[in-house]
Amino acid sequence: MNGAQALTRTLVDHGVDTCFMNPGTSEMHFVAALDSVTDLRGVLALFEGVATGAADGYARMTGRPAATLLHLGPGLGNGLANLHNARKAHTPVVNIVGDHATYHKRYDAQLESDIETVARNVSSFIRWSAGPGTVGTDAADAVLAAIGPPGQVASLVLPADASWSDGGHPVAPAPGWSPRSATGSPPDPAAVADAATTLRSGEPTALLVGGRAVRGDALDDAARVAAATGVRLLSETFPARLERGAGRPPVERLSYLAEFTALQLDGLRHLVVVDAASPVSFFAYPDKPSDLVPDGCTVHHLAGPADDVAAALAALVEELGCRGTEPVRQSAARPGRPSGALTAQTVCEALGALLPEGAIVSDEGITAGVYAPGATAGAPPHDWLALTGGAIGQGLPVAVGAAVACPDRKVVALQADGSALYTLQSWWTMAREGLDVTTVVLNNRSYAVLNMELERVGAEPPGPRAKAMLDLTGPGLDFGSLARGFGVESATASTAEEFTVALERALATSGPSVVEAVIPSVL
Amino acid sequence: MNGAQALTRTLVDHGVDTCFMNPGTSEMHFVAALDSVTDLRGVLALFEGVATGAADGYARMTGRPAATLLHLGPGLGNGLANLHNARKAHTPVVNIVGDHATYHKRYDAQLESDIETVARNVSSFIRWSAGPGTVGTDAADAVLAAIGPPGQVASLVLPADASWSDGGHPVAPAPGWSPRSATGSPPDPAAVADAATTLRSGEPTALLVGGRAVRGDALDDAARVAAATGVRLLSETFPARLERGAGRPPVERLSYLAEFTALQLDGLRHLVVVDAASPVSFFAYPDKPSDLVPDGCTVHHLAGPADDVAAALAALVEELGCRGTEPVRQSAARPGRPSGALTAQTVCEALGALLPEGAIVSDEGITAGVYAPGATAGAPPHDWLALTGGAIGQGLPVAVGAAVACPDRKVVALQADGSALYTLQSWWTMAREGLDVTTVVLNNRSYAVLNMELERVGAEPPGPRAKAMLDLTGPGLDFGSLARGFGVESATASTAEEFTVALERALATSGPSVVEAVIPSVL
């Protein structure tokens, strides 16, 4: 058995049975191993950013890591932006990067690079596999590191000769081991007591949830606490996976815009934080604060990414004696089918009118998606995957991964035009794998968010040469043609009625489709 | 004057008047500065890999660095692969990466990352600008570092507050300074004497040239030496810019395939190397050597990337007393217009039949481009830009940069299908800027090179699951639709006659166009 076979066997035995890949020559033995370890599913991407983002989306939905397979330092570079997003999402990823054979590195061939250096910024765990005899152990360690908690990107650098040489030994996991088993540190009684005292204090207080606290029992318990104590329930701005919709506890997400976040937090004396960061501005702006916690407000941390978040919230419920309190739940409500002009708002209304039960929304709508949370709040239960790390080009790859993870659920990629273009190759993988993803492209023909930011950062009144750098006309992008080029059906709409009909048809059809909405900028 | 204005003024005054950019919020003051420093040309890319590859192509043609403008660590990650290629090409690039404001970094906001770590692998020079007062000096130092010699990627990390704060001072270059002025160390008399002695030894010897020795007077002198001493003139496999065609000295490029390189070098006792690396295998293969220099062959280094290569060759000519020797020159010859089936060979014959004088060929043809050098050897004089670092996705971006650099010359991007898909967004920049680039897409519907490599690395007889990872059908890519989606005219050909007519039309028309050749794999 060679190293590649030992590696893939170890991965599968540890519950890592899906590999999103864009391999090259140095990874050919890993690819060949797909025919001997046939329970590892290889999903091909045309670009590494698709593979890494798909691994992120897959693990957000399954709770289990996927593997990636990337080609040397440049391939890792291409995948880095979505590994950044995965890192910020605390997503477990087993990130496998092929390298030259150990003895070849000293020749400084064309593709030689320092892979560990490139990997460091996104990886808490980096291991360079020395040979076939250790690659099984290295893979097992990488999976263990990846699942955390917190979930993280574990990078395994795999020299070609560690892959191709005989002497590989797969490593079996401990009995009863599950890749979802790592739940984190048990609740800290002092933190629970402090949170309870704070929530009962009667002072203006909010509960800020994120991470694993915005879904399942943890979210229910958070909402129960909020209902019992009368505090507001807020969530982080960009949750990795938020469960929402009719019947689920609604949360008020903090705004991307620091000015609005300041209004949301105004007057608070206490913020009890659960698996979320203390609120800070996304970017810095001249003469505006970075730390958005109001003066005089104390931040209390109940549990963080390394803790058993659900247990901490359950302990808080017990401490408060509110197990019997029913959380506020979102009532079912949809907007009517929109008519008239197609705008960011009517696009989102159509989505709210039609979003199917169990849908997974991969949200990279940026400015044009601003109405989507409101329009879908009372839609049937669904999951919402946000842009955790702010590195654009996440939306379509995460949709790929979510669709691979959940073949029985409809995935909707709510996708701005500018950010779509970073990882548009995702459409081909959707077509190849027959993934049930409807992409809504919000085509406002500009980097609209940057037009806003150009003003917000207080730059001189912008001139024509600056504005030209934010403009996506001349030529305008034809997303219908681009979709067809990648093998995906598409429709382009320019009225609300057209869009609603096209979206309805796309959602009713299994498999990938694109609906392009040509809209004015909201700004 | 703010820091961004001081930076841009300093760049232009140092001859860096073009910036390939994909900015975000933290770079908005740099963008705004385009309206006050109006002699800096901003060229927008939809993806950072396009910007970095374009900077590479621009400097290969002008000898002067361009700047890039990238958005934080993830933007740098997206640009990393083509910075790797630039590093291997010894291309000067002033790589500007925006960062959060200095005081904002400690808040670990969503886009926070360690930019210096990401930059390190590709950058010989990394400077984090501390504030507006130093940014002019930092920019001047970055340009100086970039031009070398050898040319290199100099990364300047630009915090948003260094950009937006007042107190910037542009820095003027020294009188008479030119961004092309750095020629390198003068010839080493001992190395010149050793090379001369070796070349006159009568033992089997070859002269291996690369870098700046494959163009202009340096190439003429290398060919003069070869003619006078009777040795073979070889070149590195992937030169950054090779001047070739009718009337120029022909060089025999070393093969990508180590097996063929071994044949090219077989029997040599001496290899005199000029601005090239000693030959090594591109990848390692089981039981095959990495070092391709034959046993018993001594490598002599006349001059390297940090040296004045042209002066070293001129000194060698003087030492050998062969100034009067006329180099062998390529005679003019073109293949006839091909007919019949469209194959990799007939595509290349059509290119040879039609390539215009002064063309610049950006070659990422990979397997399907294998016939191109032969078919164009006797075409009118042209430049050939190769895949220096092996990180695919270089071809189209380098074509963008070459076309911006040389608006009066026709650029031909000879582009394989698989590698095209990494940076296809280049087509939009070509359309937007009206660049005179004809892209020939060699669509063999597979990662053909990997099918070959899968066999070469000695993997088990590949099974269907492995082969599926190298296959680009299901769905096939429709490059015509993709081109139209980005605003570029396209034609698709499936016979040699169709292709020749389409190519002729594309070459006769100014501005960007795509000709897709649907061909069988050569393998």
Side-chain angles (χ1 to χ4, degrees), chain B residues 319-408:
Chain B
E319 180 84 12
L320 289 166
C322 64
R323 177 60 57 204
T325 302
E326 182 57 15
V328 174
R329 295 193 182 277
Q330 173 70 47
S331 54
R334 289 181 183 269
R337 294 168 72 103
S339 61
L342 191 61
T343 63
Q345 186 165 354
T346 50
V347 166
C348 293
E349 286 170 5
L351 185 65
L354 299 172
L355 193 70
E357 180 165 353
I360 302 163
V361 179
S362 178
D363 175 13
E364 196 171 55
I366 319 283
T367 59
V370 69
Y371 300 103
T376 55
H382 58 274
D383 285 4
W384 202 271
L385 315 183
L387 180 54
T388 49
I392 56 177
Q394 174 190 282
L396 297 175
V398 159
V400 166
V404 170
C406 304
D408 299 329

Side-chain angles (χ1 to χ4, degrees), chain B residues 151-456:
Chain B
Q152 55 198 275
V153 178
S155 291
L156 182 63
V157 184
L158 184 67
D161 52 344
S163 235
W164 77 48
S165 301
D166 280 335
H169 310 288
V171 170
W177 185 82
S178 148
R180 289 194 206 83
S181 60
T183 48
S185 303
D188 170 7
V192 172
D194 173 61
T197 303
T198 303
L199 289 160
R200 280 190 295 225
S201 68
E203 295 194 299
T205 299
L207 186 59
L208 173 63
V209 291
R212 288 158 296 156
V214 292
R215 49 187 197 247
D217 292 345
L219 176 58
D220 274 1
D221 277 349
R224 193 167 275 123
V225 164
T229 60
V231 306
R232 281 159 61 212
L233 183 61
L234 305 174
S235 96
E236 61 186 348
T237 309
F238 296 109
R241 174 155 70 96
L242 170 65
E243 290 183 351
R244 65 195 296 272
R248 287 177 170 163
V251 296
E252 178 188 345
R253 282 168 63 189
L254 293 180
S255 172
Y256 164 78
L257 296 171
E259 300 88 325
F260 292 170
T261 310
L263 294 175
Q264 290 176 293
L265 301 177
D266 188 42
L268 286 180
R269 299 298 305 278
H270 301 279
L271 198 55
V272 177
V273 174
V274 191
D275 207 2
S278 182
V280 298
S281 179
F282 197 93
F283 290 108
Y285 301 93
D287 307 320
K288 290 181 186 158
S290 290
D291 185 347
L292 301 181
V293 177
D295 286 346
C297 177
T298 305
V299 177
H300 308 255
H301 291 278
L302 175 67
D307 300 324
D308 186 340
V309 168
L313 281 162
L316 181 60
V317 166
E318 299 310 321
E319 180 84 12
L320 289 166
C322 64
R323 177 60 57 204
T325 302
E326 182 57 15
V328 174
R329 295 193 182 277
Q330 173 70 47
S331 54
R334 289 181 183 269
R337 294 168 72 103
S339 61
L342 191 61
T343 63
Q345 186 165 354
T346 50
V347 166
C348 293
E349 286 170 5
L351 185 65
L354 299 172
L355 193 70
E357 180 165 353
I360 302 163
V361 179
S362 178
D363 175 13
E364 196 171 55
I366 319 283
T367 59
V370 69
Y371 300 103
T376 55
H382 58 274
D383 285 4
W384 202 271
L385 315 183
L387 180 54
T388 49
I392 56 177
Q394 174 190 282
L396 297 175
V398 159
V400 166
V404 170
C406 304
D408 299 329
R409 298 173 67 175
K410 177 67 78 174
V411 177
V412 176
L414 185 66
Q415 185 59 57
D417 52 349
S419 48
L421 293 160
Y422 288 72
T423 45
L424 205 59
Q425 305 94 333
S426 304
W427 282 343
W428 184 80
T429 299
M430 293 178 194
R432 179 176 165 96
E433 300 286 337
L435 302 179
D436 197 9
V437 183
T438 296
T439 302
V440 174
V441 177
L442 298 151
N443 187 357
N444 59 21
R445 299 174 187 263
S446 72
Y447 288 126
V449 67
L450 295 183
N451 275 303
M452 174 184 77
E453 295 288 12
L454 188 62
E455 309 275 353
R456 289 179 79 213

